[in-house]
Amino acid sequence: MSEELTKQTEELSLDSKTVFDTKEEFTAKHPLNSRWTLWYTKPQVHKNENWHDLLKPVITFSSVEEFWGIYNSIPVANQLPLKSDYHLFKEGIRPEWEDEQNSKGGKWSYSFNNKRDVSGNINELWLRGLLAVIGETIEDEEEEVNGIVLNIRKQAFRVGIWTKDCDETKLTIIGERLKKILQLKDEQKVEFMSHDASNKKGSEPQIVL
C-alpha cells in the first residue's frame, strides 16, 4: 500500500497540469497572495537513503482552484504511510531548518498521540490547517508563517507551523489560532521551539499555550 501511495504522490510533478489550466473548464482563477509548493517525504526503504533522497517537491500552485485540484488528487492524511510527511511551504523555501528563510525561526507543533485524542477527523483538521496557511488567516499582517508540516508516525499525527523568526510578540497569535484550527481543548497545549533549540538535547519550549 505505501508503495502505491508513494507512486500516486510522485506522479504529480512541478510541471503537472490540472483541469484548471484548461480555458474550456474554467475562465477565471482566484489567485492567492503567495505561491505555494507541496513537498512530500517518502518513507525510507534503504539505509543509504538520506533526507535529500526522500524529500521531493510535488507541485507549485497559486490559486484556490489549483489548490483544490491538487488536494483532490493526492492521498489524504490518514492514507499516508508511516514515516512520511507532507510539507506545504511558500515557493522558494525548502522545508529544512538550514534554509535561509527558516534558519532563524522555529515551529509551533502539536502531536495527536496514539491517534486517539483527535477530537475531529485528522483529514479535516489537516485541511483546516492548509486553508488557514494559504489563506493567510493564521496570522494578521506579519508574514511570519513559512509553511505547515504533517508528520505520520507510529504513535502520532504531528502538525507543525514553521515561522520566519522567534519574536514572541508575533508568535502568540499564531499559536492561539493553531489551537483553534486543530480544535484543541484548553488542556491540550501547543508548543513553540526554535530550530536551534530543537537541535539541543533537553531544550525546553520557548512558548506553551
Side-chain angles (χ1 to χ4, degrees):
M1 177 60 77
S2 66
E3 290 183 5
E4 180 183 342
L5 291 173
T6 298
K7 184 175 185 296
Q8 199 175 342
T9 308
E10 289 180 341
E11 281 175 352
L12 287 172
S13 71
L14 289 169
D15 298 320
S16 293
K17 298 285 186 180
T18 71
V19 295
F20 307 108
D21 292 302
T22 306
K23 291 182 180 179
E24 290 74 13
E25 296 289 342
F26 283 87
T27 57
K29 291 183 180 180
H30 297 83
L32 300 168
N33 288 335
S34 303
R35 290 173 59 84
W36 297 87
T37 299
L38 176 68
W39 301 71
Y40 176 63
T41 307
K42 66 179 183 179
Q44 186 182 49
V45 177
H46 305 292
K47 290 183 178 179
N48 61 347
E49 289 180 312
N50 59 36
W51 171 254
H52 295 287
D53 295 324
L54 303 174
L55 175 67
K56 300 293 182 183
V58 178
I59 194 167
T60 297
F61 61 92
S62 59
S63 72
V64 174
E65 290 81 4
E66 288 171 333
F67 167 78
W68 285 115
I70 294 162
Y71 181 81
N72 291 320
S73 301
I74 61 176
V76 292
N78 68 0
Q79 291 180 345
L80 291 177
L82 291 177
K83 298 184 179 180
S84 65
D85 312 298
Y86 273 151
H87 321 256
L88 185 69
F89 275 68
K90 287 181 178 176
E91 184 183 32
I93 303 176
R94 290 182 63 87
E96 298 174 322
W97 298 351
E98 300 85 356
D99 188 284
E100 184 180 356
Q101 295 294 316
N102 296 320
S103 60
K104 296 179 181 178
K107 69 173 179 179
W108 280 106
S109 63
Y110 184 80
S111 295
F112 294 98
N113 294 317
N114 299 315
K115 303 177 184 176
R116 287 195 297 249
D117 61 344
V118 184
S119 58
N121 182 295
I122 187 60
N123 298 337
E124 178 187 342
L125 297 179
W126 173 237
L127 175 58
R128 285 165 58 89
L130 292 172
L131 293 174
V133 169
I134 67 171
E136 300 181 17
T137 58
I138 197 167
E139 58 183 334
D140 291 329
E141 303 295 329
E142 293 87 355
E143 295 188 2
E144 180 69 22
V145 172
N146 284 342
I148 184 170
V149 177
L150 173 69
N151 308 120
I152 307 298
R153 300 297 181 263
K154 186 175 182 180
Q155 297 298 328
F157 293 116
R158 184 166 60 245
V159 178
I161 296 287
W162 286 38
T163 63
K164 191 177 300 182
D165 61 41
C166 297
D167 184 344
E168 291 192 27
T169 59
K170 299 177 182 178
L171 295 173
T172 301
I173 192 169
I174 297 171
E176 290 172 346
R177 290 181 184 175
L178 177 60
K179 286 195 72 167
K180 292 181 180 178
I181 290 165
L182 298 181
Q183 300 178 337
L184 300 179
K185 300 174 183 177
D186 288 343
E187 64 270 21
Q188 294 173 298
K189 304 298 184 183
V190 293
E191 298 180 346
F192 181 85
M193 185 174 287
S194 70
H195 295 315
D196 282 342
S198 297
N199 279 324
K200 299 173 184 176
K201 190 175 180 179
S203 295
E204 295 292 326
Q206 181 178 331
I207 316 171
V208 179
L209 294 176

